[in-house]
Amino acid sequence: MNTYLSAALSAQPAGQGVVSSIEETVNSVLDPVVGVFSGIVFFSVGPFPIIVIWLIAAAVIFSCYFGFIQFRGFKVALEVVSGKFSSSTDPGEVTHFQALTSATAATVGMGNIAGVGAAMAMGGPGAAFWMVVAGLLAMCTKFVECTLGVKYREIDADGIVNGGPFKYLPVAFKKFPRAVSSALTGFFAIAILLFGVAGGGMFQANQTAVQVREVTGGDEGILGGPVGGLIMGIIIAVLVGLVLIGGIKSIGKVTEKLVPAMAIFYVISCLIVIFGNADMILPALGEIVTGAFSPEGVSGGMIGVMFVGFQRAAFSNEAGIGSAPIAHAAVKTRRPVSEGFVALLEPFLDTVVVCLMSALTVVIGGGIVFQDSMAEYQETGSSPDGVLLISEAFGTIAGWWPILLAVAVMLFAISTLITWGYYGLKAWQYLFGRSQAKDNVFRVILLFFIIIGCMATFGTIVDFADAALFCCAFVNILGLYMLMPVVKDEMKKYLADRKSGKLYELGAEDDAHLAQIKEEQGNA
């Protein structure tokens, strides 16, 4: 492997012109297409993009309708994910914990690193405040969609689960004419495919290549030229392709180990920066809070920074998008709402905890690079490489610490890529049917765009990913509104069974364990 890599790198001068030409072609083709696509999706009334309002309104409405279950049910969620109410005979493919890590792998990724950095460069420190608010509200949206993902799933004779929006949207739209229902669900599937390619593939690969390039000498280093980006894209594509072949069980086994490990490393690194500058914590929090309500130099003022925060939060946690229910549908359970409780933990982990860590790290350790990024965005409107702001902050720990970040970034990216590969495959199968040959065509397309992502400009990828993401949200949330009474009924029954002790019996391993559980309940 090292021999081939060295040979490829030494051949850069010879291939530089060809690859540079490919890079220019990629950007020249993508830029106008993305410009039109993004302009349509983010149609605004004044400074307010209608689709972002659609997402914010849904999170608020669901939170009120379900009595802020994301807070009342937090303890229940922890009990469920620990397996307290689970049985080995429950139908499905993966455990509650594996379903959570598989779905979290798609959300705790570059959106929490590069996305936070980009949001703060565009909207100032105050954008982080609104990201946290959005995360707290989004917990309920995730609760609703993932409950439905399990409620209407289908399990094949071979045990393969097919669930998520492709199953519950036709139920939600059954009152519409058949052609309208099919068109809406088909549009959703296409949007999932597009985001899987752009947000799940190109975005992750792009920011991974940026950070690896940064720690290997920058633009003048061994991976600085277009050939370096091409090589990074091929390496990432190969690693992702190997895992995708195994399906959701393989993904679950990888992510249940990878996600906690990389999250722990990333959070510890952020904490070192934050508590290593303990005297700056309160001033940094002050900047985040005051910046949310009295931002300086941000287009649209408070409303402008609010929309930046909510938009980047949606990219981070994907609540309401309809992606997470695909992974959660594979869970082993007999009670659909149990997975809704598990799912509400996702936005808390990735948007409240991890994003806030990232924000404090950037404000405290970003220094002049952070200030320059904000100034550059105000002057040019170009989206910054957000991962570099985190890298700059990590560099305050030790000069070599950004190298560890590069490793973490790659792991974040790979975990997100493999999960979005699974989501995209389900959309592909909905549109074109299931067969080994058809599935392999999709995998080749995804891996191709992973390579392209390492060669395209960051701003173009962000715009394309956002547009595709919010297309998904429009259709999915419409379906959630129509089916939320079903979820509420499931929720009430589940909480009643927990109160009576019936749920605890599901986790009994044998009669003796069941007797012990009943005794504990009687003494409680």
Side-chain angles (χ1 to χ4, degrees):
M1 178 68 180
N2 291 333
T3 302
Y4 289 118
L5 182 58
S6 299
L9 291 171
S10 64
Q12 275 203 39
Q16 193 86 7
V18 175
V19 180
S20 294
S21 177
I22 295 173
E23 185 178 49
E24 291 172 5
T25 301
V26 167
N27 289 317
S28 65
V29 170
L30 283 179
D31 285 348
V33 173
V34 171
V36 173
F37 184 36
S38 182
I40 294 172
V41 174
F42 290 103
F43 177 78
S44 301
V45 176
F48 312 129
I50 293 176
I51 193 66
V52 179
I53 296 173
W54 178 251
L55 258 177
I56 297 171
V60 172
I61 290 170
F62 291 141
S63 294
C64 294
Y65 182 79
F66 289 95
F68 291 90
I69 190 63
Q70 63 264 53
F71 307 124
R72 294 191 296 118
F74 199 88
K75 181 181 178 181
V76 181
L78 295 177
E79 291 176 336
V80 176
V81 80
S82 70
K84 204 165 190 176
F85 308 136
S86 300
S87 169
S88 58
T89 61
D90 289 340
E93 295 185 80
V94 294
T95 66
H96 284 293
F97 183 70
Q98 287 178 328
L100 176 64
T101 56
S102 293
T104 305
T107 56
V108 178
M110 294 309 297
N112 307 86
I113 303 176
V116 173
M120 295 175 69
M122 292 186 282
F129 176 89
W130 294 112
M131 288 187 76
V132 170
V133 172
L136 292 172
L137 292 173
M139 291 169 69
C140 193
T141 305
K142 194 69 75 89
F143 168 80
V144 178
E145 62 182 349
C146 291
T147 297
L148 293 173
V150 179
K151 173 74 175 177
Y152 296 102
R153 70 182 179 179
E154 295 176 0
I155 302 179
D156 294 345
D158 55 3
I160 301 298
V161 176
N162 294 291
F166 308 116
K167 296 300 179 183
Y168 65 71
L169 287 180
V171 177
F173 300 147
K174 65 182 179 181
K175 292 183 179 180
F176 294 163
R178 186 179 182 85
V180 174
S181 176
S182 298
L184 284 171
T185 308
F187 177 75
F188 172 84
I190 292 171
I192 281 281
L193 269 179
L194 291 176
F195 184 74
V197 167
M202 296 171 70
F203 178 84
Q204 307 296 325
N206 177 276
Q207 289 295 276
T208 300
V210 166
Q211 179 60 16
V212 173
R213 183 185 304 123
E214 179 72 8
V215 301
T216 55
D219 291 337
E220 303 302 320
I222 59 173
L223 294 174
V227 173
L230 177 63
I231 291 172
M232 279 300 305
I234 292 172
I235 292 172
I236 296 170
V238 169
L239 293 174
V240 170
L242 291 174
V243 180
L244 282 179
I245 295 172
I248 188 62
K249 290 183 179 180
S250 174
I251 293 170
K253 289 177 181 178
V254 171
T255 56
E256 74 173 339
K257 297 178 179 66
L258 195 57
V259 172
M262 66 187 182
I264 289 170
F265 163 75
Y266 183 72
V267 168
I268 288 175
S269 298
C270 289
L271 289 175
I272 292 174
V273 174
I274 294 168
F275 288 106
N277 300 274
D279 59 319
M280 297 178 64
I281 295 177
L282 289 179
L285 287 171
E287 284 188 49
I288 289 172
V289 174
T290 57
F293 297 98
S294 56
E296 297 181 4
V298 178
S299 178
M302 189 186 93
I303 301 299
V305 73
M306 182 190 299
F307 274 87
V308 169
F310 272 92
Q311 186 170 330
R312 296 264 54 84
F315 189 91
S316 170
N317 60 52
E318 298 168 19
I321 307 306
S323 53
I326 301 173
H328 284 282
V331 73
K332 293 181 178 181
T333 187
R334 300 180 188 278
R335 303 293 292 269
V337 76
S338 67
E339 196 58 19
F341 280 105
V342 171
L344 66 78
L345 295 173
E346 283 177 48
F348 179 79
L349 292 172
D350 67 53
T351 308
V352 178
V353 176
V354 180
C355 285
L356 184 56
M357 290 281 187
S358 296
L360 285 171
T361 300
V362 169
V363 174
I364 291 173
I368 191 65
V369 174
F370 177 38
Q371 300 299 323
D372 288 347
S373 294
M374 287 193 292
E376 181 181 354
Y377 180 76
Q378 293 301 318
E379 292 176 8
T380 66
S382 60
S383 298
D385 286 315
V387 70
L388 296 184
L389 300 183
I390 301 292
S391 181
E392 180 70 15
F394 279 14
T396 63
I397 301 174
W400 46 265
W401 207 271
I403 298 175
L404 299 182
L405 175 63
V407 176
V409 162
M410 180 171 283
L411 295 179
F412 270 117
I414 289 173
S415 67
T416 303
L417 282 164
I418 60 181
T419 304
W420 264 102
Y422 176 71
Y423 294 165
L425 179 61
K426 290 298 182 182
W428 180 269
Q429 290 172 346
Y430 175 82
L431 293 168
F432 303 107
R434 289 179 58 190
S435 75
Q436 190 63 43
K438 292 177 182 177
D439 291 354
N440 287 336
V441 169
F442 166 74
R443 293 185 180 111
V444 169
I445 292 173
L446 175 65
L447 299 181
F448 171 75
F449 276 98
I450 286 174
I451 297 172
I452 293 298
C454 290
M455 304 172 71
T457 57
F458 179 67
T460 298
I461 295 173
V462 169
D463 291 343
F464 184 36
D466 278 347
L469 184 77
F470 286 102
C471 281
C472 300
F474 175 77
V475 178
N476 186 59
I477 287 175
L478 181 62
L480 299 185
Y481 281 135
M482 294 181 172
L483 292 176
M484 60 184 186
V486 175
V487 177
K488 194 166 193 177
D489 184 58
E490 291 273 343
M491 180 188 77
K492 287 181 176 179
K493 291 178 181 177
Y494 193 79
L495 292 177
D497 286 345
R498 175 180 177 271
K499 187 175 182 180
S500 69
K502 184 178 179 180
L503 286 185
Y504 291 89
E505 298 175 9
L506 295 176
E509 298 174 1
D510 49 39
D511 290 341
H513 191 198
L514 177 59
Q516 179 185 344
I517 290 172
K518 288 183 176 180
E519 182 180 352
E520 290 174 354
Q521 287 299 303
N523 295 331

